Amino acid sequence: MSIMMSGGYMNLLLRRATMDDAGLLFDWRNNIETRAYSANHHTITWNEHIAWLSRSLENHNRILCIAEASGNPVGTMRADKNQDGSFAISYTVAPFSRGKGVGKQMALQFADEMLSGRRIMAKIR
């Protein structure tokens, strides 16, 4: 799937997050603009982040992916399974990738590749 970006089209690759992504996710999570749109506006510590990421990667009811364009991480998508079987999704676009249509592309591609045929819900802020 491609989207029009400044300078041309970009293909996104969705891959499962790993502990190797800890630093990247930590920086994106604590970015001031990211926090403004997050349910939790507070800065988190490295230890809090590592604990969260470890739990997330072990959680069979959570899908956590990194979106990459030309091998460069541009955002993250998460889906959490609800008790009714639906999935609540959330995402973060990397600060340097905002305003280029990456969020919409990630959400559509994530729904198609990771949640095909499943009911999805999202809260928009």
Side-chain angles (χ1 to χ4, degrees):
M1 188 178 275
S2 298
I3 59 171
M4 185 60 146
M5 307 295 284
S6 57
Y9 289 93
M10 176 171 31
N11 292 316
L12 293 182
L13 168 73
L14 291 175
R15 63 168 178 80
R16 296 285 183 140
T18 70
M19 286 304 288
D20 291 339
D21 297 307
L24 178 72
L25 293 171
F26 179 74
D27 291 344
W28 290 351
R29 165 57 182 87
N30 279 332
N31 173 271
I32 193 166
E33 192 173 345
T34 301
R35 289 192 342 254
Y37 290 99
S38 177
N40 177 351
H41 302 297
H42 300 12
T43 302
I44 60 168
T45 67
W46 177 253
N47 289 340
E48 290 170 325
H49 175 67
I50 291 299
W52 171 85
L53 183 56
S54 294
R55 286 189 311 272
S56 292
L57 296 177
E58 294 171 4
N59 184 344
H60 297 294
N61 290 315
R62 174 170 286 172
I63 302 169
L64 183 63
C65 290
I66 303 294
E68 295 182 344
S70 302
N72 299 308
V74 295
T76 183
M77 289 290 313
R78 186 179 87 207
D80 291 305
K81 190 173 186 178
N82 296 312
Q83 288 184 347
D84 67 0
S86 66
F87 283 82
I89 63 169
S90 61
Y91 66 92
T92 299
V93 176
F96 55 84
S97 297
R98 293 180 181 145
K100 300 176 183 176
V102 171
K104 179 179 178 182
Q105 171 72 17
M106 284 191 322
L108 291 171
Q109 195 167 327
F110 185 77
D112 184 50
E113 292 179 18
M114 302 292 177
L115 300 172
S116 182
R118 296 182 172 121
R119 202 163 52 107
I120 300 168
M121 64 170 270
K123 288 183 182 177
I124 308 298
R125 234 187 116 127

